[in-house]
Each structure stands twice: as structure tokens, then as C-alpha cells.
Amino acid sequence: MQSKRIDAGELLISLALLALGSFVVFETQGIAETQGYSQVGPRLFPYLIGTGLTLCGTWLAWQALSGGWRAMPDEAETHAAPDRMGFLLISAGVVLHMVLIGWAGFILASTLLFVLVARGFGSTKPVRDVAIAAVLSTIVYFLFTQALGLSLPAGLFGG
């Protein structure tokens, strides 16, 4: 009887995902149980995310142990070379968002993030990207601050 070779990388990633999900579920127990306007407390979403991560990790570990992950490409040439410029643009967007949000505010920082991520994914229409980003960032800002009563940095627009 021939035994199937277990891919160590697949198993390691699966177990790491399983461990992360279990950690999230365990740590969520330490969140104080309070209820706001709705009957949903602050533990719901961490429990959902932790459970989802745990289930995905378990499923992938089972696949890794029983012949390897399913539906993976067979040939090495099916994998494209990494897009380093895209990675750098998206990373720069995330870092700049964290740096600028306190000073420039949510709307400007999020607009810049959107534009850099769009460019990182290959967009070649910066004017359109800025327009969409500004509209979406403004809508999200007012939904969070006015409708939900949450505080987001106003930055340059704050009075």
C-alpha cells in the first residue's frame, strides 16, 4: 500500500489558521458582555470570525492530511509572477492611511488609500478613482458619525 505524501506547507498553514481561530474564540470570552441599542453584544462578530477561521483551518488540515488541498493548479506556469509594484502601492496606501488619518482626517486618508489600492490592482484612471474614493469616503464618514454616532477623525475639515 502506497502512502500519500503530506505537504508540510499546506499542513502548517492549515494548523496556523486553526490555531488563530481557536485563539480568537478563546480570547473573545474575555470581552465584557454588554448590549447596546440592539440585542447583539460585542462578542458576536469575534465569535463568528473565530469560528469561521477554526472551521476553515480544520477543513484545510483534513484536506492536507488526505491527499492535499483540492482544486490547486498543477503546473508551476499557472502562477503569475508577483506584482511587486502593486504590493508596494497597496502597502504604501495602508501605511499612509495610518499615518495621515489623525492629521488629515478620515475622508482624505481613506481617499488616498482607495486610490493607491485601485492603482495597485491595475487601475489606470486616477481621476475616476479619486472621484469614487471621495464620494465613498464621505458617505462612510457621515454614516459612521451621524447615523451610528461613532467618532472618526475629521482632520482638516474639523472645526
Side-chain angles (χ1 to χ4, degrees), residues 47-76:
Y47 272 135
L48 289 175
I49 292 167
T51 300
L53 289 171
T54 302
L55 291 173
C56 287
T58 302
W59 182 260
L60 289 173
W62 173 79
Q63 284 190 351
L65 293 171
S66 63
W69 289 351
R70 310 305 190 269
M72 294 293 291
D74 289 331
E75 294 105 30

PDB file of all heavy atoms in Angstrom, residues 47-76:
ATOM      1  N   TYR A  47     -16.760  36.021  17.745  1.00  0.00           N
ATOM      2  CA  TYR A  47     -17.101  34.594  17.771  1.00  0.00           C
ATOM      3  C   TYR A  47     -17.336  34.065  16.358  1.00  0.00           C
ATOM      4  O   TYR A  47     -16.869  32.971  16.009  1.00  0.00           O
ATOM      5  CB  TYR A  47     -18.341  34.327  18.624  1.00  0.00           C
ATOM      6  CG  TYR A  47     -18.053  34.087  20.088  1.00  0.00           C
ATOM      7  CD1 TYR A  47     -18.813  34.705  21.069  1.00  0.00           C
ATOM      8  CD2 TYR A  47     -17.039  33.228  20.498  1.00  0.00           C
ATOM      9  CE1 TYR A  47     -18.558  34.498  22.416  1.00  0.00           C
ATOM     10  CE2 TYR A  47     -16.778  33.007  21.833  1.00  0.00           C
ATOM     11  CZ  TYR A  47     -17.540  33.640  22.797  1.00  0.00           C
ATOM     12  OH  TYR A  47     -17.283  33.426  24.125  1.00  0.00           O
ATOM     13  N   LEU A  48     -18.043  34.827  15.542  1.00  0.00           N
ATOM     14  CA  LEU A  48     -18.295  34.388  14.164  1.00  0.00           C
ATOM     15  C   LEU A  48     -16.993  34.265  13.380  1.00  0.00           C
ATOM     16  O   LEU A  48     -16.772  33.284  12.660  1.00  0.00           O
ATOM     17  CB  LEU A  48     -19.244  35.360  13.457  1.00  0.00           C
ATOM     18  CG  LEU A  48     -20.699  35.359  13.918  1.00  0.00           C
ATOM     19  CD1 LEU A  48     -21.477  36.458  13.202  1.00  0.00           C
ATOM     20  CD2 LEU A  48     -21.339  34.009  13.690  1.00  0.00           C
ATOM     21  N   ILE A  49     -16.128  35.259  13.513  1.00  0.00           N
ATOM     22  CA  ILE A  49     -14.852  35.232  12.786  1.00  0.00           C
ATOM     23  C   ILE A  49     -13.967  34.095  13.289  1.00  0.00           C
ATOM     24  O   ILE A  49     -13.383  33.348  12.501  1.00  0.00           O
ATOM     25  CB  ILE A  49     -14.146  36.596  12.904  1.00  0.00           C
ATOM     26  CG1 ILE A  49     -14.943  37.653  12.134  1.00  0.00           C
ATOM     27  CG2 ILE A  49     -12.704  36.521  12.402  1.00  0.00           C
ATOM     28  CD1 ILE A  49     -14.537  39.076  12.414  1.00  0.00           C
ATOM     29  N   GLY A  50     -13.856  33.947  14.609  1.00  0.00           N
ATOM     30  CA  GLY A  50     -13.048  32.869  15.176  1.00  0.00           C
ATOM     31  C   GLY A  50     -13.554  31.500  14.781  1.00  0.00           C
ATOM     32  O   GLY A  50     -12.779  30.601  14.441  1.00  0.00           O
ATOM     33  N   THR A  51     -14.873  31.331  14.791  1.00  0.00           N
ATOM     34  CA  THR A  51     -15.455  30.050  14.400  1.00  0.00           C
ATOM     35  C   THR A  51     -15.199  29.782  12.925  1.00  0.00           C
ATOM     36  O   THR A  51     -14.845  28.657  12.543  1.00  0.00           O
ATOM     37  CB  THR A  51     -16.967  30.041  14.696  1.00  0.00           C
ATOM     38  OG1 THR A  51     -17.163  30.256  16.095  1.00  0.00           O
ATOM     39  CG2 THR A  51     -17.606  28.725  14.291  1.00  0.00           C
ATOM     40  N   GLY A  52     -15.351  30.807  12.090  1.00  0.00           N
ATOM     41  CA  GLY A  52     -15.083  30.633  10.665  1.00  0.00           C
ATOM     42  C   GLY A  52     -13.635  30.261  10.394  1.00  0.00           C
ATOM     43  O   GLY A  52     -13.352  29.362   9.596  1.00  0.00           O
ATOM     44  N   LEU A  53     -12.705  30.937  11.065  1.00  0.00           N
ATOM     45  CA  LEU A  53     -11.286  30.605  10.902  1.00  0.00           C
ATOM     46  C   LEU A  53     -10.992  29.178  11.364  1.00  0.00           C
ATOM     47  O   LEU A  53     -10.240  28.441  10.717  1.00  0.00           O
ATOM     48  CB  LEU A  53     -10.416  31.591  11.688  1.00  0.00           C
ATOM     49  CG  LEU A  53     -10.329  33.018  11.139  1.00  0.00           C
ATOM     50  CD1 LEU A  53      -9.622  33.929  12.142  1.00  0.00           C
ATOM     51  CD2 LEU A  53      -9.600  33.030   9.812  1.00  0.00           C
ATOM     52  N   THR A  54     -11.588  28.785  12.476  1.00  0.00           N
ATOM     53  CA  THR A  54     -11.381  27.433  13.004  1.00  0.00           C
ATOM     54  C   THR A  54     -11.919  26.387  12.039  1.00  0.00           C
ATOM     55  O   THR A  54     -11.261  25.371  11.776  1.00  0.00           O
ATOM     56  CB  THR A  54     -12.047  27.285  14.389  1.00  0.00           C
ATOM     57  OG1 THR A  54     -11.484  28.272  15.263  1.00  0.00           O
ATOM     58  CG2 THR A  54     -11.826  25.908  14.976  1.00  0.00           C
ATOM     59  N   LEU A  55     -13.108  26.619  11.501  1.00  0.00           N
ATOM     60  CA  LEU A  55     -13.695  25.666  10.550  1.00  0.00           C
ATOM     61  C   LEU A  55     -12.869  25.581   9.273  1.00  0.00           C
ATOM     62  O   LEU A  55     -12.627  24.478   8.761  1.00  0.00           O
ATOM     63  CB  LEU A  55     -15.136  26.054  10.234  1.00  0.00           C
ATOM     64  CG  LEU A  55     -16.139  25.879  11.363  1.00  0.00           C
ATOM     65  CD1 LEU A  55     -17.503  26.451  10.970  1.00  0.00           C
ATOM     66  CD2 LEU A  55     -16.265  24.409  11.751  1.00  0.00           C
ATOM     67  N   CYS A  56     -12.414  26.734   8.758  1.00  0.00           N
ATOM     68  CA  CYS A  56     -11.571  26.718   7.553  1.00  0.00           C
ATOM     69  C   CYS A  56     -10.252  25.996   7.815  1.00  0.00           C
ATOM     70  O   CYS A  56      -9.795  25.200   6.982  1.00  0.00           O
ATOM     71  CB  CYS A  56     -11.303  28.143   7.078  1.00  0.00           C
ATOM     72  SG  CYS A  56     -12.724  28.932   6.318  1.00  0.00           S
ATOM     73  N   GLY A  57      -9.630  26.268   8.954  1.00  0.00           N
ATOM     74  CA  GLY A  57      -8.384  25.590   9.297  1.00  0.00           C
ATOM     75  C   GLY A  57      -8.565  24.094   9.428  1.00  0.00           C
ATOM     76  O   GLY A  57      -7.729  23.304   8.974  1.00  0.00           O
ATOM     77  N   THR A  58      -9.667  23.681  10.042  1.00  0.00           N
ATOM     78  CA  THR A  58      -9.956  22.250  10.198  1.00  0.00           C
ATOM     79  C   THR A  58     -10.163  21.599   8.840  1.00  0.00           C
ATOM     80  O   THR A  58      -9.619  20.520   8.562  1.00  0.00           O
ATOM     81  CB  THR A  58     -11.209  22.058  11.078  1.00  0.00           C
ATOM     82  OG1 THR A  58     -10.980  22.677  12.342  1.00  0.00           O
ATOM     83  CG2 THR A  58     -11.540  20.588  11.268  1.00  0.00           C
ATOM     84  N   TRP A  59     -10.945  22.243   7.976  1.00  0.00           N
ATOM     85  CA  TRP A  59     -11.215  21.714   6.637  1.00  0.00           C
ATOM     86  C   TRP A  59      -9.929  21.597   5.823  1.00  0.00           C
ATOM     87  O   TRP A  59      -9.669  20.567   5.195  1.00  0.00           O
ATOM     88  CB  TRP A  59     -12.226  22.616   5.928  1.00  0.00           C
ATOM     89  CG  TRP A  59     -12.606  22.135   4.570  1.00  0.00           C
ATOM     90  CD1 TRP A  59     -12.117  22.582   3.383  1.00  0.00           C
ATOM     91  CD2 TRP A  59     -13.525  21.092   4.254  1.00  0.00           C
ATOM     92  NE1 TRP A  59     -12.691  21.906   2.340  1.00  0.00           N
ATOM     93  CE2 TRP A  59     -13.573  20.970   2.851  1.00  0.00           C
ATOM     94  CE3 TRP A  59     -14.319  20.260   5.010  1.00  0.00           C
ATOM     95  CZ2 TRP A  59     -14.371  20.052   2.200  1.00  0.00           C
ATOM     96  CZ3 TRP A  59     -15.131  19.341   4.351  1.00  0.00           C
ATOM     97  CH2 TRP A  59     -15.142  19.246   2.978  1.00  0.00           C
ATOM     98  N   LEU A  60      -9.104  22.629   5.849  1.00  0.00           N
ATOM     99  CA  LEU A  60      -7.857  22.592   5.090  1.00  0.00           C
ATOM    100  C   LEU A  60      -6.877  21.564   5.664  1.00  0.00           C
ATOM    101  O   LEU A  60      -6.144  20.913   4.913  1.00  0.00           O
ATOM    102  CB  LEU A  60      -7.222  23.980   5.044  1.00  0.00           C
ATOM    103  CG  LEU A  60      -7.950  25.006   4.174  1.00  0.00           C
ATOM    104  CD1 LEU A  60      -7.322  26.384   4.335  1.00  0.00           C
ATOM    105  CD2 LEU A  60      -7.960  24.582   2.718  1.00  0.00           C
ATOM    106  N   ALA A  61      -6.860  21.406   6.991  1.00  0.00           N
ATOM    107  CA  ALA A  61      -5.987  20.396   7.603  1.00  0.00           C
ATOM    108  C   ALA A  61      -6.430  18.997   7.178  1.00  0.00           C
ATOM    109  O   ALA A  61      -5.597  18.134   6.866  1.00  0.00           O
ATOM    110  CB  ALA A  61      -5.995  20.532   9.120  1.00  0.00           C
ATOM    111  N   TRP A  62      -7.737  18.755   7.157  1.00  0.00           N
ATOM    112  CA  TRP A  62      -8.248  17.457   6.726  1.00  0.00           C
ATOM    113  C   TRP A  62      -7.834  17.200   5.281  1.00  0.00           C
ATOM    114  O   TRP A  62      -7.397  16.096   4.943  1.00  0.00           O
ATOM    115  CB  TRP A  62      -9.773  17.400   6.878  1.00  0.00           C
ATOM    116  CG  TRP A  62     -10.354  16.157   6.296  1.00  0.00           C
ATOM    117  CD1 TRP A  62     -10.381  14.916   6.862  1.00  0.00           C
ATOM    118  CD2 TRP A  62     -10.934  16.020   4.999  1.00  0.00           C
ATOM    119  NE1 TRP A  62     -10.955  14.021   5.996  1.00  0.00           N
ATOM    120  CE2 TRP A  62     -11.306  14.679   4.845  1.00  0.00           C
ATOM    121  CE3 TRP A  62     -11.182  16.906   3.958  1.00  0.00           C
ATOM    122  CZ2 TRP A  62     -11.913  14.197   3.691  1.00  0.00           C
ATOM    123  CZ3 TRP A  62     -11.790  16.427   2.805  1.00  0.00           C
ATOM    124  CH2 TRP A  62     -12.141  15.085   2.685  1.00  0.00           C
ATOM    125  N   GLN A  63      -7.957  18.231   4.433  1.00  0.00           N
ATOM    126  CA  GLN A  63      -7.554  18.051   3.042  1.00  0.00           C
ATOM    127  C   GLN A  63      -6.047  17.802   2.932  1.00  0.00           C
ATOM    128  O   GLN A  63      -5.615  16.965   2.143  1.00  0.00           O
ATOM    129  CB  GLN A  63      -7.948  19.275   2.211  1.00  0.00           C
ATOM    130  CG  GLN A  63      -9.415  19.343   1.891  1.00  0.00           C
ATOM    131  CD  GLN A  63      -9.741  20.425   0.887  1.00  0.00           C
ATOM    132  OE1 GLN A  63      -8.892  21.246   0.529  1.00  0.00           O
ATOM    133  NE2 GLN A  63     -10.969  20.414   0.404  1.00  0.00           N
ATOM    134  N   ALA A  64      -5.252  18.525   3.712  1.00  0.00           N
ATOM    135  CA  ALA A  64      -3.790  18.353   3.660  1.00  0.00           C
ATOM    136  C   ALA A  64      -3.397  16.942   4.073  1.00  0.00           C
ATOM    137  O   ALA A  64      -2.464  16.363   3.513  1.00  0.00           O
ATOM    138  CB  ALA A  64      -3.111  19.384   4.562  1.00  0.00           C
ATOM    139  N   LEU A  65      -4.118  16.386   5.048  1.00  0.00           N
ATOM    140  CA  LEU A  65      -3.801  15.040   5.531  1.00  0.00           C
ATOM    141  C   LEU A  65      -4.368  13.938   4.642  1.00  0.00           C
ATOM    142  O   LEU A  65      -3.950  12.789   4.746  1.00  0.00           O
ATOM    143  CB  LEU A  65      -4.311  14.862   6.961  1.00  0.00           C
ATOM    144  CG  LEU A  65      -3.603  15.713   8.016  1.00  0.00           C
ATOM    145  CD1 LEU A  65      -4.333  15.631   9.346  1.00  0.00           C
ATOM    146  CD2 LEU A  65      -2.147  15.283   8.157  1.00  0.00           C
ATOM    147  N   SER A  66      -5.305  14.272   3.782  1.00  0.00           N
ATOM    148  CA  SER A  66      -5.934  13.239   2.955  1.00  0.00           C
ATOM    149  C   SER A  66      -5.649  13.444   1.471  1.00  0.00           C
ATOM    150  O   SER A  66      -6.521  13.249   0.632  1.00  0.00           O
ATOM    151  CB  SER A  66      -7.447  13.223   3.207  1.00  0.00           C
ATOM    152  OG  SER A  66      -8.021  14.453   2.810  1.00  0.00           O
ATOM    153  N   GLY A  67      -4.436  13.849   1.150  1.00  0.00           N
ATOM    154  CA  GLY A  67      -4.048  13.919  -0.248  1.00  0.00           C
ATOM    155  C   GLY A  67      -3.731  15.304  -0.770  1.00  0.00           C
ATOM    156  O   GLY A  67      -3.407  15.464  -1.937  1.00  0.00           O
ATOM    157  N   GLY A  68      -3.855  16.301   0.049  1.00  0.00           N
ATOM    158  CA  GLY A  68      -3.508  17.660  -0.384  1.00  0.00           C
ATOM    159  C   GLY A  68      -4.738  18.505  -0.636  1.00  0.00           C
ATOM    160  O   GLY A  68      -5.845  18.008  -0.804  1.00  0.00           O
ATOM    161  N   TRP A  69      -4.508  19.809  -0.625  1.00  0.00           N
ATOM    162  CA  TRP A  69      -5.604  20.748  -0.860  1.00  0.00           C
ATOM    163  C   TRP A  69      -6.203  20.494  -2.232  1.00  0.00           C
ATOM    164  O   TRP A  69      -5.500  20.208  -3.197  1.00  0.00           O
ATOM    165  CB  TRP A  69      -5.115  22.181  -0.767  1.00  0.00           C
ATOM    166  CG  TRP A  69      -4.765  22.618   0.627  1.00  0.00           C
ATOM    167  CD1 TRP A  69      -4.996  21.950   1.789  1.00  0.00           C
ATOM    168  CD2 TRP A  69      -4.117  23.826   0.995  1.00  0.00           C
ATOM    169  NE1 TRP A  69      -4.542  22.674   2.861  1.00  0.00           N
ATOM    170  CE2 TRP A  69      -3.999  23.826   2.402  1.00  0.00           C
ATOM    171  CE3 TRP A  69      -3.633  24.898   0.286  1.00  0.00           C
ATOM    172  CZ2 TRP A  69      -3.417  24.864   3.103  1.00  0.00           C
ATOM    173  CZ3 TRP A  69      -3.050  25.937   0.977  1.00  0.00           C
ATOM    174  CH2 TRP A  69      -2.946  25.919   2.380  1.00  0.00           C
ATOM    175  N   ARG A  70      -7.504  20.621  -2.329  1.00  0.00           N
ATOM    176  CA  ARG A  70      -8.210  20.369  -3.579  1.00  0.00           C
ATOM    177  C   ARG A  70      -8.226  21.631  -4.449  1.00  0.00           C
ATOM    178  O   ARG A  70      -8.074  22.750  -3.972  1.00  0.00           O
ATOM    179  CB  ARG A  70      -9.651  19.944  -3.316  1.00  0.00           C
ATOM    180  CG  ARG A  70      -9.846  18.833  -2.297  1.00  0.00           C
ATOM    181  CD  ARG A  70      -9.051  17.564  -2.632  1.00  0.00           C
ATOM    182  NE  ARG A  70      -9.441  16.456  -1.772  1.00  0.00           N
ATOM    183  CZ  ARG A  70      -8.852  16.160  -0.608  1.00  0.00           C
ATOM    184  NH1 ARG A  70      -7.878  16.903  -0.158  1.00  0.00           N
ATOM    185  NH2 ARG A  70      -9.244  15.124   0.095  1.00  0.00           N
ATOM    186  N   ALA A  71      -8.430  21.409  -5.733  1.00  0.00           N
ATOM    187  CA  ALA A  71      -8.588  22.465  -6.738  1.00  0.00           C
ATOM    188  C   ALA A  71      -7.383  23.402  -6.805  1.00  0.00           C
ATOM    189  O   ALA A  71      -7.530  24.589  -7.044  1.00  0.00           O
ATOM    190  CB  ALA A  71      -9.864  23.258  -6.482  1.00  0.00           C
ATOM    191  N   MET A  72      -6.194  22.858  -6.607  1.00  0.00           N
ATOM    192  CA  MET A  72      -4.976  23.653  -6.743  1.00  0.00           C
ATOM    193  C   MET A  72      -4.422  23.452  -8.155  1.00  0.00           C
ATOM    194  O   MET A  72      -4.500  22.362  -8.709  1.00  0.00           O
ATOM    195  CB  MET A  72      -3.924  23.200  -5.721  1.00  0.00           C
ATOM    196  CG  MET A  72      -4.312  23.454  -4.281  1.00  0.00           C
ATOM    197  SD  MET A  72      -4.395  25.185  -3.875  1.00  0.00           S
ATOM    198  CE  MET A  72      -2.682  25.626  -3.968  1.00  0.00           C
ATOM    199  N   PRO A  73      -3.859  24.491  -8.769  1.00  0.00           N
ATOM    200  CA  PRO A  73      -3.279  24.341 -10.112  1.00  0.00           C
ATOM    201  C   PRO A  73      -2.123  23.344 -10.087  1.00  0.00           C
ATOM    202  O   PRO A  73      -1.360  23.290  -9.128  1.00  0.00           O
ATOM    203  CB  PRO A  73      -2.775  25.739 -10.460  1.00  0.00           C
ATOM    204  CG  PRO A  73      -3.300  26.661  -9.420  1.00  0.00           C
ATOM    205  CD  PRO A  73      -3.767  25.841  -8.272  1.00  0.00           C
ATOM    206  N   ASP A  74      -2.005  22.567 -11.152  1.00  0.00           N
ATOM    207  CA  ASP A  74      -0.965  21.540 -11.218  1.00  0.00           C
ATOM    208  C   ASP A  74       0.367  22.066 -11.730  1.00  0.00           C
ATOM    209  O   ASP A  74       1.413  21.722 -11.227  1.00  0.00           O
ATOM    210  CB  ASP A  74      -1.413  20.380 -12.109  1.00  0.00           C
ATOM    211  CG  ASP A  74      -2.515  19.566 -11.459  1.00  0.00           C
ATOM    212  OD1 ASP A  74      -2.551  19.513 -10.216  1.00  0.00           O
ATOM    213  OD2 ASP A  74      -3.330  18.997 -12.198  1.00  0.00           O
ATOM    214  N   GLU A  75       0.326  22.916 -12.744  1.00  0.00           N
ATOM    215  CA  GLU A  75       1.562  23.385 -13.351  1.00  0.00           C
ATOM    216  C   GLU A  75       2.072  24.653 -12.680  1.00  0.00           C
ATOM    217  O   GLU A  75       1.310  25.519 -12.307  1.00  0.00           O
ATOM    218  CB  GLU A  75       1.364  23.666 -14.842  1.00  0.00           C
ATOM    219  CG  GLU A  75       1.068  22.429 -15.646  1.00  0.00           C
ATOM    220  CD  GLU A  75      -0.401  22.357 -16.022  1.00  0.00           C
ATOM    221  OE1 GLU A  75      -1.005  23.414 -16.182  1.00  0.00           O
ATOM    222  OE2 GLU A  75      -0.913  21.244 -16.125  1.00  0.00           O
ATOM    223  N   ALA A  76       3.384  24.746 -12.585  1.00  0.00           N
ATOM    224  CA  ALA A  76       4.002  25.926 -11.978  1.00  0.00           C
ATOM    225  C   ALA A  76       3.775  27.166 -12.837  1.00  0.00           C
ATOM    226  O   ALA A  76       3.723  28.268 -12.324  1.00  0.00           O
ATOM    227  CB  ALA A  76       5.500  25.692 -11.774  1.00  0.00           C
TER     228      ALA A  76
END
